[in-house]
């Protein structure tokens, strides 16, 4: 009985930990670096553009995200974005 309860509780907590939203693919239209953060203008497949903050300069992950955005822009390739929250509204400007 303990094993069943433990298995069910692990399944419950693991599904809530995997709550993410995938957005895209988007073309990178422009990149704007600011004093505190980096904004990227993405162009969706339906022709609408959205500005998204890809990170704060104080975050260690911002520079790799910026490098990926710059490479996608230079090669004219689409990128997808994964947000760590469930039900994130992809069609929005931050």
């Amino acid at each position: 009985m303990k094993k069943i309860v433990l298995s069910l509780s692990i399944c419950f907590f693991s599904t809530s930990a995997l709550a993410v939203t995938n957005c895209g693919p988007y073309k990178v239209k422009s990149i704007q670096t600011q004093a505190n953060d980096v904004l990227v203008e993405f162009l969706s497949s339906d022709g609408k553009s959205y500005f998204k903050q890809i990170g704060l300069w104080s975050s260690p992950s911002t520079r790799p995200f910026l490098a990926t955005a710059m490479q996608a822009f230079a090669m004219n390739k689409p990128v997808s974005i994964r947000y760590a929250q469930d039900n994130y509204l992809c069609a929005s400007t931050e």
Side-chain angles (χ1 to χ4, degrees):
M1 183 67 174
K2 289 181 183 179
K3 289 182 181 180
I4 293 173
V5 172
L6 180 63
S7 297
L8 290 175
S9 63
I10 289 173
C11 289
F12 174 74
F13 289 116
S14 65
T15 56
S16 64
L18 297 176
V20 296
T21 302
N22 294 316
C23 298
Y26 297 123
K27 292 275 186 164
V28 177
K29 188 173 179 183
S30 66
I31 301 169
Q32 180 178 344
T33 59
Q34 302 182 130
N36 296 324
D37 61 353
V38 178
L39 295 175
V40 175
E41 184 179 9
F42 293 107
L43 185 64
S44 65
S45 58
D46 62 357
K48 295 181 182 177
S49 64
Y50 306 102
F51 277 94
K52 302 285 187 182
Q53 180 189 54
I54 61 167
L56 299 173
W57 286 117
S58 59
S59 173
S61 61
T62 299
R63 293 186 196 281
F65 292 160
L66 176 60
T68 301
M70 291 171 66
Q71 186 173 6
F73 179 76
M75 297 181 70
N76 197 26
K77 297 287 184 181
V79 294
S80 294
I81 308 167
R82 175 172 285 174
Y83 291 94
Q85 64 191 50
D86 200 17
N87 298 324
Y88 178 83
L89 182 61
C90 294
S92 67
T93 295
E94 296 177 347

